[in-house]
Amino acid sequence: MSVSGTALTAAPSSRKRITALDALRGVAVIGIVPMNVIAFSMPANAYLNPRVWGGTGELEVALWAISSVLVEDKFRALFAMMFGAGIAILLGKKSDHPLRAHTARMAVLLAIGLAHAIVLANNDVLRIYAVCGLLLPLAVNWPVRRLLWAAGLLIAGQLAVSGYYAWGWLDYWYQRVSGLTIDLAPLDMAERTYGGHPDTTAASLARGQEGLSERLVRRVSDPMLQVRFIVASIPSALASMLLGVALWRGGLLAGEWEPRRALRLTRACALAGIPVLIALMAWSILSGFDPIVTAANALVWSAPFDIVLGTGYAALAMALFGGAMKDHRATRLFAAAGRMALTNYLASSVIFAALFAGWGLGLFGEVSRGKALLLALIPIAAMLAWSPPWLARFRQGPAEWAWRSLSGLKRLPLLRDRGRERAP
């Protein structure tokens, strides 16, 4: 039976933790670190365009190309899928007031996300997850096929709207490179918005070197910035969450698929996504990282294929962690990191702020893309090092504990009950 089979309407059992799913969540939170390090270490436009900052030598371009095809936004989509599946699991558990408890969790998560965005990471995803999470109860019990259709329609709708504007920009780009127009005003605007215009880069460098109090004042004084970011991100994030619910209800994320079946889905997703992503990456390079081409490819045309490849990663991880690597030490390490996903996500921002922010070591704008990616190994190693011993002593990560305690307006136990664990 395929993942879209209409018979798969009953939610899988959620009575015990699924180690493979925890490990997949660990892979997701680790996978967004190489993306976030660029946002923390370089001017904003370098996130999309290596010509802006970080170098365009062979090594830097190769690193950008690998990230563009295999990493960028794929793991963000995967992280959103894990969030959607997690909500489906929680809402599937018996509770006196499940919707009230869920709404409280999302409200607290929104507050955490806003604080995280204002103080540390302007690309925080928790704000978006909290808002989209409020909508998920409407769809969490839908049949798998309907969930897949809804996710597909959201992706198609976003592509239609953003593609309409991107097509107009690409038409100008084609006319310019073909010599049909010499009007450079739109190009100047594109360079300011998505490229390496000196004014834009200088402003970004100044923001990266500001003190903590300066940053807080600037971000609090522009509340609409938060609103615009959340609204623009809702379609893709909600589509990924609906897909995560579908993959849970369809049995893949519940560990009910045979590894061979999951690998078939992996191959299908890779064949559907990777060739297109390679073509878009090559187009950006051949254009000389033209801001119009590079931004359109990264923000618009690649979006559906990012989600497709993220699905392939989910299937591959479940096949490995639930199959050949079921009892492997690496699976346990990833699972521990996944059980503390919120803590680890926030902690990686603290580490990056300590390295790059003006109130930290001040390395913002001082490293190449290669060096930045090497520094990304620090929070990854930290996650894998501290998660297992922490969970050996405590029930959950500190951020998870605070989130749930605040949501329920009561202090939950954090230490493990050693006596009960030793009881026969």
Side-chain angles (χ1 to χ4, degrees), residues 73-94:
D73 288 337
K74 287 76 181 172
F75 285 94
R76 181 174 288 120
L78 182 59
F79 203 33
M81 291 179 204
M82 296 302 96
F83 188 80
I87 287 179
I89 292 170
L90 286 174
L91 291 177
K93 294 181 177 180
K94 291 184 178 180

Side-chain angles (χ1 to χ4, degrees), residues 291-359:
I292 293 173
V293 173
T294 306
N297 289 343
L299 299 175
V300 181
W301 311 126
S302 67
F305 304 97
D306 293 336
I307 295 177
V308 168
L309 195 54
T311 303
Y313 288 165
L316 176 61
M318 293 304 293
L320 293 177
F321 295 140
M325 295 180 61
K326 184 175 183 180
D327 299 317
H328 199 280
R329 181 171 181 268
T331 301
R332 295 193 293 273
L333 285 175
F334 284 123
R339 289 180 60 188
M340 293 175 54
L342 178 60
T343 295
N344 286 327
Y345 175 70
L346 297 174
S348 67
S349 293
V350 173
I351 292 173
F352 283 151
L355 290 171
F356 301 111
W359 61 87

Side-chain angles (χ1 to χ4, degrees), residues 80-81 83-85 132 135-140 142 144 146-154 235-249:
M81 291 179 204
F83 188 80
C132 292
L135 302 174
L136 277 187
L138 300 173
V140 76
W142 285 356
V144 172
R146 188 185 302 172
L147 288 164
L148 294 175
W149 271 106
L153 288 173
L154 280 170
S236 59
L238 185 56
S240 296
M241 290 180 193
L242 289 171
L243 186 54
V245 177
L247 294 176
W248 164 256
R249 293 183 60 81

